[in-house]
Amino acid sequence: MQEYIRKRVLDIGNYIMESSATVRQTADIFGVSKSTVHKDVTERLPLINEKLAMEVKQILESNKAERHIRGGEATRKKYQEN
């Protein structure tokens, strides 16, 4: 694995840990695609730092479980403004 990828993977993992950010938010911050963030945290991070990978996985699973709630709130807000 190239060094810049290794650094990005660790930076992304630490960012998600500190901010509980979603994959989409993380991709915007780091200027990469959602697919890249997902591959970094699910495939590459466990090879580099297994403990961090497990913690990030828990955060992403929590975000996924809350996703339908955030979507519902956004829709409600959209139609309340009109």
Side-chain angles (χ1 to χ4, degrees), residues 18-56:
E18 293 169 3
S19 65
S20 296
T22 63
V23 169
R24 180 172 291 186
Q25 292 166 338
T26 304
D28 287 343
I29 293 293
F30 285 87
V32 295
S33 69
K34 294 184 299 181
S35 298
T36 299
V37 172
H38 190 265
K39 182 172 181 123
D40 283 352
V41 299
T42 59
E43 295 179 19
R44 295 179 178 133
L45 188 56
L47 299 174
I48 298 170
N49 186 333
E50 193 171 335
K51 183 175 185 274
L52 179 60
M54 293 300 290
E55 293 171 359
V56 168

Side-chain angles (χ1 to χ4, degrees), residues 10-22:
L10 290 172
D11 288 346
I12 285 174
N14 288 323
Y15 177 76
I16 292 173
M17 278 297 302
E18 293 169 3
S19 65
S20 296
T22 63

Side-chain angles (χ1 to χ4, degrees), residues 2-3 8 27 29 41-42 57 73:
Q2 294 181 353
E3 188 59 32
R8 182 186 69 216
I29 293 293
V41 299
T42 59
K57 182 177 179 180
E73 289 173 359

